[in-house]
Amino acid sequence: MTTTPLLRLDGISKSFGKVTVARDLTLSVQPGEALGIVGPNGAGKSTLFAMIAGDLRPDSGAVWLEGRQVTGVPPHARTRAGIGRTFQVPRPFEHLTVFENVLVCAHQGAALKGRRAQAHAMNVLERTGLAEVANTPAGRLALLPRKRLEVARALGTGPRLLLLDEVAGGLTEPEVLELVAVVKDLHAEGLGIVWIEHVVHALIRTVGRMICLAGGDVVADGEPLRVLADRRVRELYLGAGPETGLPGEEEGS
Ligand SMILES: Nc1ncnc2c1ncn2[C@@H]1O[C@H](COP(=O)(O)OP(=O)(O)OP(=O)(O)O)[C@@H](O)[C@H]1O
Ligand SMILES: [Mg+2]
C-alpha cells in the first residue's frame, strides 16, 4: 500500500529571466519525514519554499499537499491547509511581544480563538524554549531567540509540514545545537520537516534524507552522508569555508 505524500512537487519549473532555479523538478516528502536541502547560494532553495508556500507560482508543474493540488492556492490558505514556514530573514511583528506574535499565528493560521489560541501559543513557546521571554517585544530579541521565534510563529499556525529556511544561520555552535534539539523534538512528535541549511552538521544531526539543489536540478538525493560524499556535491562546495561543516571524505565514504 502506498501512502499519500505529505508534499509532492510534480515537474516544477521556474526561471527568473535567464536564471533557471527549478527545472522539471519532482520531489516527494512523506508524512513525518525530515528532509534536508543543501545547495550553493542562489541555487533556488528559498524560491522552492516560496513556491511550496504560495508566495510564488511555478512557471509549470504542480504542488500537492496531502493529495490535494494547491498550485494556485494563496499563501494564507496554504497556511490553513497545513504548511508552516520560516523566512531566511526573520519577519516577526517587531512591536508585538513574543507571545502576541505566536498568538496572531494561532488565530490566523490555526483558526483558534480565545483561551484555546492562548493555550496553543503558550504551548508553542514552551516547545521552542521561549516561555521566559513571552512578554518581551520581538524587536528586542537577540539572534537565537529571534530564530526560535521564527520557528514558533510557524508552529503557531498548526502545521503538518514545517519549512525551515536557514534557521541555524549566524548562530554560534552551542546555539546551533540548542536549535537542533528543538527541531529534533518536533520531528519526534511526527511533524514533517523540510530544512534548508548551510550549517550542514545541523542537518546531519536531524534529517534522515538530504537533497542537493543546484542549477535548477536535484543533483543528489538520499542518505545525508552519502549525499555529502557525492562527487558533484563536493565539487559544488569546493571553496566553501569550513563553517559549512561538510564532512571529510573519510567520514562520508
Ligand atoms: N523574486 C525574484 N525575482 C527575480 N529573481 C529572483 C527572485 N527571487 C529569487 N531570485 C533569484 O533566483 C536565484 C535563486 O534565489 P534563492 O533566494 O531561491 O536562492 P537560495 O538557494 O535560497 O540562495 P541562498 O543560499 O543564498 O539563500 C537567485 O539568483 C536570485 O537572485
Ligand atoms: Mg535562500
Side-chain angles (χ1 to χ4, degrees):
M1 200 182 77
T2 53
T3 49
T4 305
L6 177 58
L7 173 74
R8 181 168 166 80
L9 305 180
D10 198 5
I12 293 280
S13 293
K14 181 78 185 171
S15 298
F16 297 112
K18 288 184 181 159
V19 180
T20 298
V21 291
R23 183 184 293 105
D24 196 19
L25 207 145
T26 291
L27 183 70
S28 291
V29 178
Q30 301 307 321
E33 185 176 16
L35 171 72
I37 302 185
V38 296
N41 293 116
K45 305 180 297 297
S46 296
T47 304
L48 197 67
F49 273 12
M51 292 190 284
I52 297 169
D55 297 312
L56 282 176
R57 201 177 169 137
D59 298 334
S60 58
V63 181
W64 298 78
L65 182 71
E66 297 176 324
R68 179 183 156 215
Q69 232 221 96
V70 294
T71 318
V73 171
H76 66 270
R78 287 197 213 191
T79 305
R80 290 249 168 139
I83 298 176
R85 73 170 302 192
T86 69
F87 289 90
Q88 192 165 339
V89 178
R91 291 185 181 182
F93 299 109
E94 305 282 348
H95 298 292
L96 296 187
T97 66
V98 166
F99 175 71
E100 288 164 345
N101 262 277
V102 180
L103 191 61
V104 169
C105 299
H107 284 151
Q108 301 300 322
L112 294 173
K113 292 192 172 62
R115 285 185 181 278
R116 288 187 65 202
Q118 291 175 358
H120 174 65
M122 265 326 289
N123 176 269
V124 166
L125 293 188
E126 272 151 24
R127 283 154 75 201
T128 49
L130 286 170
E132 283 177 15
V133 289
N135 294 320
T136 303
R140 289 217 219 119
L141 295 177
L143 188 61
L144 175 61
R146 221 171 146 79
K147 295 274 190 178
R148 286 179 185 269
L149 178 56
E150 196 63 15
V151 178
R153 279 160 35 89
L155 287 177
T157 67
R160 289 181 297 289
L161 173 64
L162 179 65
L163 307 174
L164 302 174
D165 196 348
E166 297 199 27
V167 285
L171 299 180
T172 64
E173 275 306 303
E175 289 174 338
V176 169
L177 295 180
E178 283 188 44
L179 203 67
V180 162
V182 169
V183 179
K184 280 178 90 120
D185 283 349
L186 297 174
H187 182 223
E189 288 169 21
L191 202 58
I193 294 171
V194 184
W195 187 357
I196 295 171
E197 192 54 72
H198 287 292
V199 185
V200 173
H201 74 82
L203 287 186
I204 294 172
R205 288 181 155 88
T206 315
V207 302
R209 180 181 153 216
M210 184 183 283
I211 64 169
C212 178
L213 273 186
D217 298 311
V218 174
V219 297
D221 181 344
E223 197 273 319
L225 289 180
R226 280 193 185 279
V227 166
L228 294 170
D230 185 283
R231 182 183 51 79
R232 287 159 303 177
V233 176
R234 300 197 74 83
E235 280 167 9
L236 286 166
Y237 271 97
L238 273 184
E243 72 278 4
T244 58
L246 207 61
E249 297 278 7
E250 67 286 347
E251 291 175 63
S253 50

